[in-house]
Amino acid sequence: MFEHLEPVPGDPILDLLQAFIADPRPQKVNLSVGIYYDEHGQVPLLESVAQAQHSVLEAAPSRSYLPMEGDAEYRRCVGQLVFADSVDTQTFSVVTVQTVGGSGALKVGADFLQGAYPQATVWVSDPTWDNHYGIFEGAGFSVRRYPYYAAATQGFDYPAALAAFEALPASSIVVLHPCCHNPTGVQPSQAQWHGLLDALQTRNAVVFMDMAYQGLGLGLDEDAWLVRECARRGLEFLLANSFSKTFSLYAERVGALSVVVRKEQATTLMGQLKRAVRRNYSSPPLFGSLLVKSVLGDPARAALWRTELAAMRGRIIDLRRGLFEGLTTRMPQRDFSNLLHQQGMFGYTGLSPEQVDALREQHGIYALRTGRICIAGLTAENTERVCDAWAAVVAPT
Ligand code: LMR
């Protein structure tokens, strides 16, 4: 029955995580998937989340279905965290649905847009998170790339990106990373974003932002600057956000899709999004949303969470510096300063696929073959080992 099917190549991120888990070597290091590990190499249970978990379990909530759009208080908390007071509520509404993580938000948004703009092309940054292709192609779009990363400068290629945005065809959907670009960690400046947004507005592009790392780059408000700037400009746009990394709730699959629309379209939009949810998975899971709303809805717990998030952010910055120093000591003729300028969990190393393979095979260090590493997989203990192995594969003696 299925002889005509081609084998599917493994997922470049999630299959690597499973390979890492199966690797028996005790000294292995996971720099592949975007997961924040603490200084003991564990996925942390945040204290704010532990407190929330205690209250939630004590309250013994009903396990009846959530509505298709998810929990109302959770959705309100999401809107406040992401948009703050940037939306002119006289004219616009924020329509938010709770989703199965950030991927679910992208999928619901993609299916909704396929109904709204079936002829559109989706534009993603070059490079981008690999699954952007999967999700938007899976929803029936053709996906093209706009220039983003300049290998020569190891920075953002503003002139090329701007030129691409100025030449966008009608009916273009443009995916933007408001913070902590995945995979490069390279961000446009605010002045460059202004230029890019001007071009996108002129071309009437549909902006779809993917924000999975709010607060792990510069800060909760700083990382949401682009989202809020779009709202302040009076744009209508889509935003996927996720609490996997920022609440350390990966397996709970807790995220949201928000659409900023003119008030008169809000009811129609909610109906469209609910239909997309129903056709995919009917309604979202409960537990993660209970935890997130129990943290964000309680001022003391929310303050504790902000402190814990700031500590994760600060530790990532310290790990970047440690890596930079370790590599510079071993390879003084090379410039690793790009690692210091990148933001968020990821480092874009310039390592070739063969060098990445050698790191994994010879040293048990797992990175993506694109050269992306997850800085948050480093610890004070393993950084020296990673630097030794890096030097060995880059400049073998
Ligand atoms: C990543 O980029 O590693 C994470 O977003 C996890 C994933 O689903 O790919």
Side-chain angles (χ1 to χ4, degrees):
M1 188 175 279
F2 300 117
E3 280 157 353
H4 58 294
L5 296 181
E6 300 282 325
V8 178
D11 184 83
I13 301 177
L14 296 185
D15 278 3
L16 206 53
L17 174 60
Q18 294 311 314
F20 171 81
I21 291 168
D23 189 330
R25 289 174 285 183
Q27 299 288 71
K28 63 187 178 177
V29 179
N30 187 12
L31 308 181
S32 60
V33 67
I35 292 181
Y36 177 91
Y37 294 97
D38 66 15
E39 60 276 20
H40 309 294
Q42 303 299 319
V43 178
L45 171 62
L46 302 186
E47 174 55 27
S48 51
V49 173
Q51 289 180 11
Q53 189 165 285
H54 186 74
S55 322
V56 165
L57 291 176
E58 220 170 33
S62 155
R63 255 74 178 205
S64 173
Y65 292 121
L66 281 178
M68 290 172 277
E69 69 274 24
D71 179 274
E73 170 64 5
Y74 167 83
R75 296 187 294 114
R76 191 196 64 74
C77 289
V78 169
Q80 190 52 43
L81 183 72
V82 172
F83 296 99
D85 298 322
S86 58
V87 178
D88 167 12
T89 50
Q90 297 289 320
T91 314
F92 296 95
S93 292
V94 180
V95 178
T96 299
V97 294
Q98 177 187 335
T99 56
V100 181
S103 300
L106 290 165
K107 171 64 175 155
V108 168
D111 283 357
F112 155 68
L113 287 174
Q114 176 58 220
Y117 294 101
Q119 304 305 329
T121 297
V122 173
W123 296 80
V124 296
S125 62
D126 182 15
T128 193
W129 180 53
D130 193 69
N131 209 26
H132 280 152
Y133 292 98
I135 288 173
F136 287 104
E137 285 171 359
F141 289 108
S142 72
V143 180
R144 297 185 59 186
R145 297 152 206 229
Y146 59 84
Y148 190 89
Y149 181 74
T153 60
Q154 297 180 321
F156 175 55
D157 194 345
Y158 180 61
L162 183 63
F165 283 7
E166 285 173 341
L168 281 173
S171 286
S172 289
I173 296 164
V174 179
V175 178
L176 303 176
H177 306 220
C179 61
C180 308
H181 183 262
N182 184 357
T184 67
V186 166
Q187 285 302 124
S189 66
Q190 287 188 4
Q192 290 171 336
W193 276 127
H194 277 298
L196 297 171
L197 289 181
D198 289 346
L200 291 172
Q201 273 183 280
T202 306
R203 303 305 302 155
N204 272 325
V206 175
V207 170
F208 194 163
M209 280 184 257
D210 182 6
M211 184 162 69
Y213 301 88
Q214 184 189 0
L216 287 170
L218 298 175
L220 269 174
D221 294 324
E222 294 83 344
D223 290 352
W225 177 85
L226 181 68
V227 177
R228 296 174 189 173
E229 177 57 24
C230 286
R232 283 188 289 265
R233 281 176 174 238
L235 283 177
E236 293 177 288
F237 61 96
L238 293 83
L239 170 77
N241 82 291
S242 161
F243 296 111
S244 295
K245 338 276 175 177
T246 52
F247 276 72
S248 195
L249 281 175
Y250 306 88
E252 297 297 348
R253 312 309 296 133
V254 53
L257 173 70
S258 298
V259 189
V260 179
V261 280
R262 296 189 76 82
K263 270 185 118 60
E264 55 274 23
Q265 259 94 58
T267 307
T268 303
L269 247 293
M270 182 51 103
Q272 292 268 342
L273 297 186
K274 283 164 65 173
R275 184 173 65 178
V277 167
R278 179 68 166 150
R279 289 178 175 186
N280 274 296
Y281 49 82
S282 281
S283 62
L286 176 70
F287 193 61
S289 67
L290 291 177
L291 297 178
V292 169
K293 80 170 178 180
S294 166
V295 171
L296 294 180
D298 174 318
R301 233 173 249 167
L304 173 60
W305 171 69
R306 282 171 186 262
T307 311
E308 293 185 288
L309 184 65
M312 291 197 276
R313 179 170 67 243
R315 188 168 158 270
I316 292 173
I317 292 168
D318 291 346
L319 290 168
R320 277 187 184 283
R321 175 146 294 280
L323 182 64
F324 164 77
E325 286 168 0
L327 293 174
T328 305
T329 309
R330 285 163 182 79
M331 293 170 276
Q333 70 287 6
R334 289 175 186 256
D335 179 10
F336 293 100
S337 57
N338 62 319
L339 289 171
L340 296 177
H341 304 138
Q342 297 162 356
Q343 291 170 19
M345 267 197 192
F346 299 120
Y348 210 51
T349 62
L351 289 168
S352 68
E354 294 72 28
Q355 289 167 335
V356 168
D357 290 345
L359 273 181
R360 188 181 62 257
E361 286 160 12
Q362 295 163 23
H363 304 276
I365 295 168
Y366 285 67
L368 300 196
R369 295 192 87 233
T370 55
R372 187 193 86 172
I373 57 169
C374 178
I375 300 280
L378 292 167
T379 61
E381 184 272 322
N382 70 27
T383 299
E384 294 299 303
R385 232 163 348 104
V386 167
C387 291
D388 285 341
W390 190 316
V393 301
V394 165
T397 47

